[in-house]
Amino acid sequence: TAGPPVPRTTGPTRPVTRSAYGRGMASIRVPLSLVDRSRTRDGEAPGRALRDSVERAVRAEELRFTRVWLAEHHGVPGIATGAPAVLMAAVAAATSRVRVGSAGVMIPNHRPLVVSEQAKALQALFPGRIDLGIGRSLGFTAPVRDALGATEYDLDDMERDLRALRDFLDDAGPVRAMPTGEPVPMFVLATGSGMAVAARLGLPVIVGGPILRGDLAPLEDYRRDFVPSVEHPEPAVLISVDVTVGPTAEQARDWLLPEAWAMVASRTVGAFPPLEDVTPDSLATKRLTERQERWVRRHLDNAVWGTADEVADELNDLIARTGATEVLAYSSTFDRAAQAWSDEALAGLMT
């Protein structure tokens, strides 16, 4: 895979048991898509992160990824995108084939009618290319939740709003959501409890985090309790995974360190900051506490990283364990050239 020059780094934090360069014959058995969170970087204007998201989506289309998913976060210094519909429009306008989705629009912050109108407008402008992922996060901090005005939201609220949203998207609501026309596929970003709601509504789910590494009972319950719908006669599980591919396992690990350090800050001081240019040497000078070291290790353990072959092996294992129909790969590096290298190498795993 072509890419930028790669500097030498120190060794990995976990054993590398396979060849650093792999066999060169690995492939992924399901479609691959990218999730872009418009990560900001230390020393740069936050608006550049949005332009980066558009540029990355253009490359993703050239690399033949299935979809580009865009996130919604509010009041977070490290993430610039609080308006996914606006960014989706920019990405769709800059591309011509790749599907563009939200992963996701946070339904507690919006009225279902407004979400449906935005999604249907995008679908009318870019026919057959828009996907609507819906989550239920209330916001990262208490001040953000207060500013959004949604401080309480339970599963009953979620089910009510998802039903209303589906009706509006299907032109079956109490008022007509405009413009009418082609339906917009809907997905649910779900944990164990949210998956039960998705199953009752016959909707596909996007899952990530600890559930992929631990007890798969919530996925089994989702499939068992799934109520077929017109759009989705069968249950569907898409998995969201932090993925970084490098020319060596050591390099891939090091490209993950800026995001790992940001996660340390979010867990220890309550702020999710812009990416810093963190390297193994600079991290060593920070004199991490035991708790901070534990969070760095946890981030690396939960991510999928390594050479192309190593990443393919681990992703294929996750696909086999979860029965996933698609992989949504998200990653954030301080070095944009490294991000482009990783994206291109990941795309090379598609069959």
Side-chain angles (χ1 to χ4, degrees):
T1 303
V6 182
R8 281 183 170 274
T9 61
T10 56
T13 54
R14 64 183 182 187
V16 178
T17 57
R18 286 163 286 186
S19 166
Y21 294 96
R23 301 177 304 276
M25 297 184 295
S27 64
I28 303 297
R29 299 188 294 266
V30 301
L32 292 177
S33 297
L34 293 183
V35 178
D36 189 281
R37 295 176 296 157
S38 300
R39 288 290 273 120
T40 60
R41 288 169 173 80
D42 187 45
E44 293 183 355
R48 180 170 180 183
L50 298 177
R51 297 189 292 274
D52 284 343
S53 293
V54 176
E55 293 171 4
R56 188 181 182 197
V58 171
R59 293 195 303 271
E61 179 171 82
E62 294 170 352
L63 293 170
R64 311 298 295 184
F65 282 100
T66 299
R67 299 180 238 248
V68 174
W69 298 85
L70 303 164
E72 175 184 339
H73 293 273
H74 297 278
V76 180
I79 297 177
T81 172
V86 175
L87 189 54
M88 288 170 68
V91 166
T95 55
S96 60
R97 298 183 308 276
V98 69
R99 297 187 68 91
V100 182
S102 61
V105 170
M106 297 302 154
I107 197 65
N109 307 329
H110 311 279
R111 299 302 301 163
L113 174 61
V114 174
V115 175
S116 68
E117 289 173 333
Q118 292 173 346
K120 294 173 83 169
L122 287 167
Q123 189 75 299
L125 291 167
F126 310 102
R129 297 179 55 209
I130 302 301
D131 298 306
L132 186 59
I134 300 293
R136 64 184 181 101
S137 171
L138 292 174
F140 188 66
T141 63
V144 170
R145 293 190 288 273
D146 290 340
L148 291 168
T151 55
E152 295 183 5
Y153 196 82
D154 60 23
L155 290 175
D156 289 338
D157 296 326
M158 178 186 182
E159 183 164 354
R160 176 202 65 212
D161 286 347
L162 288 178
R163 287 185 183 277
L165 176 57
R166 184 173 62 181
D167 285 346
F168 285 127
L169 291 173
D170 291 343
D171 299 331
V175 299
R176 185 61 56 88
M178 295 294 289
T180 59
E182 184 178 356
V184 181
M186 188 164 67
F187 304 77
V188 179
L189 282 67
T191 58
S193 53
M195 277 189 274
V197 174
R200 286 195 293 273
L201 297 181
L203 292 170
V205 292
I206 300 173
V207 300
I211 192 171
L212 301 182
R213 304 290 185 176
D215 183 11
L216 296 180
L219 285 178
E220 296 168 359
D221 293 343
Y222 163 75
R223 291 190 169 96
R224 182 196 65 218
D225 299 335
F226 186 84
V227 178
S229 59
V230 174
E231 298 88 353
H232 304 284
E234 300 289 338
V237 174
L238 292 71
I239 57 174
S240 179
V241 189
D242 189 348
V243 180
T244 297
V245 186
T248 67
E250 294 91 336
Q251 188 68 70
R253 186 283 319 269
D254 292 349
W255 286 345
L256 275 170
L257 291 180
E259 185 72 19
W261 179 243
M263 292 302 298
V264 167
S266 73
R267 299 296 184 178
T268 56
V269 300
F272 192 65
L275 294 169
E276 298 179 33
D277 188 11
V278 176
T279 66
D281 289 341
S282 67
L283 196 63
T285 66
K286 293 181 182 292
R287 299 179 183 274
L288 271 61
T289 65
E290 182 178 344
R291 184 184 180 196
Q292 289 174 322
E293 290 179 349
R294 185 166 62 249
W295 278 112
V296 170
R297 288 195 300 270
R298 180 174 296 184
H299 182 82
L300 294 175
D301 287 344
N302 287 335
V304 174
W305 53 272
T307 64
D309 279 0
E310 291 169 337
V311 165
D313 286 347
E314 194 162 351
L315 287 180
N316 281 327
D317 179 65
L318 283 173
I319 292 164
R321 291 182 64 243
T322 61
T325 59
E326 183 174 331
V327 172
L328 284 57
Y330 65 91
S331 63
S332 303
T333 66
F334 182 85
D335 185 336
R336 291 181 177 83
Q339 184 72 74
W341 203 104
S342 178
D343 288 349
E344 185 173 344
L346 181 62
L349 297 178
M350 290 187 286
T351 54

